Amino acid sequence: MADYDVIIIGSGPGGYVCAIRCAQLGLRTACVEGRDALGGTCLNVGCIPSKALLHASHMLHEARENFSKMGLIGDAPSVNWNAMQSYKNDTIGQNTKGIEFLFKKNKIDWLKGWASIPAKGQVRVGEETHTTKNIVVASGSEPSTLPGIDIDERKVISSTGALALDTIPENLVIVGAGVIGLELGSVYHRLGSAVTVIEYLNNITPGMDGDIQKAFRKILERQGLTFIMGAAVQTADIVGNDVRVTYALRSGDEPESVAADNVLIATGRRPYTDGLGLTELNLEQDSQGRINVDDHWQTNIDGIYAIGDCINGPMLAHKAEDEGMAVAEHVAGKHGHVNYNVIPSVIYTHPEVASVGLTEENLKEHERSYKVGKFHFMGNGRAKANFAADGFVKLLADTETDRILGCHIIGPSAGDLIHEVCVAMEFGASAEDLALTCHAHPTYSEAVREAAFACGDGAIHS
Ligand code: NAI
């Protein structure tokens, strides 16, 4: 008999959630993790630590900018960077220990070390080979860099280095105006760095709704971030204590350069499958190194599945989690399912940005007939009281059926607000369904209802 029913490789949100669901469904489960702590990129060097720094730096901003407006008088706090790093590290520790506890509770074996797959039904960890009926590869992704640029995590950093710098840089150049660049750019800007973001395209946050892109950039510029758009970064060379970044404007001018204490390369991530032995196994991958899977996350080798950042689709923790649960159910003989049309994405800046479903650009491209309901937080009493009235909710619905097709929010707690629209979309709701649902007053979520009203007879407070 095999040692396990399922061995999961990687303990990030995809892997650990898959392991817990497998164990809950009665499968003998092990999870391989080579880091010292469970939780993968998300808990150790991604979502969780970045959110701790985003929260701390936002609190600083509130204290400096808004406390006195509310009659809270006194010296604004200053930054103790070491203490802030300790807070961030404590947050990581609490979360990773939490997963360890859940593994014990669910009787999941943590196989410590880096895994390889010598053959179907076998996983090698260190000197030991474990046998298993099923393998789930959830090995995640790693930061990608640009050709000719070496990340030393000291001066030229990825998101990993950016979470643990020795000091707050006076000048920070960020390459790439995607999610990572803008979240970490916001952190350092609020902590006092002069932040310049260099982006290849003409818009920030590729793939987001165009209205949101424009509003978001304006807000970030007003906050003090500088953008150099339409510029391809070519080199990042360490010169003395500085890094000099050269970039070519797409307009074809001579290369220009800018110097900074640190340069953050935030130009995307790539699947991480090093050392697994996939080539020897003849496990199919695409040209970008993603593992090919079918509708049930099954690879070309029977009994080997793959989920999360190492397969196709958005590199998002919650997408990986959903795939992890679905695969667990599939392996246990049930019917797992992921609705890829309703996967929210959130940028945790202030204001937050959140999006689900189709953008207006998608709808135009597919010549769909749609209506737009927009509501600005300026008309929301709670947002005004909280100095959080920047931004809007934009709801897109089918002209004929009124069915909700997408929602894009920039504003306070956008990352939480988006979920009522996700639920509505899962149930095939119309904008009118949202509008007819009573929303408590005064809440930010009234802005979502108002956007739904705006798809019909009109919003009340605009
Ligand atoms: P991204 O793909 O979101 O953005 C990268 C940006 O870099 C693009 O705008 C691209 O045009 C630009 N770029 C590429 N080459 C360039 C060059 N030579 N010069 C100038 N600009 C260049 O990638 P990012 O921000 O690194 O994020 C990686 C992944 O991690 C994404 O899939 C993201 O969804 C995920 N992530 C999600 C988070 C969230 O959901 N809150 C947080 C952090 C990461």
Side-chain angles (χ1 to χ4, degrees), residues 375-448:
F375 186 79
H376 287 265
F377 282 97
M378 197 50 91
N380 178 277
R382 186 74 179 277
K384 276 201 291 229
N386 293 1
F387 302 106
D390 263 345
F392 55 84
V393 179
K394 176 177 177 181
L395 195 71
L396 299 164
D398 188 282
T399 316
E400 300 271 299
T401 64
D402 196 37
R403 190 179 176 138
I404 300 167
L405 302 172
C407 183
H408 310 280
I409 307 176
I410 178 164
S413 299
D416 294 302
L417 297 183
I418 198 75
H419 292 97
E420 77 164 289
V421 184
C422 295
V423 174
M425 287 177 75
E426 278 290 348
F427 282 84
S430 63
E432 189 184 32
D433 289 327
L434 266 192
L436 292 178
T437 305
C438 185
H439 284 58
H441 176 75
T443 57
Y444 296 141
S445 63
E446 287 173 288
V448 177

Side-chain angles (χ1 to χ4, degrees), residues 146 176 178-180 183 199-200 206 231 233 266 268-269 315-316 346 348:
L146 297 169
V179 188
I180 292 181
E183 286 188 354
E199 166 58 48
Y200 179 72
V233 167
R269 298 179 62 86
M315 289 184 167
L316 297 172
V346 179
Y348 298 89

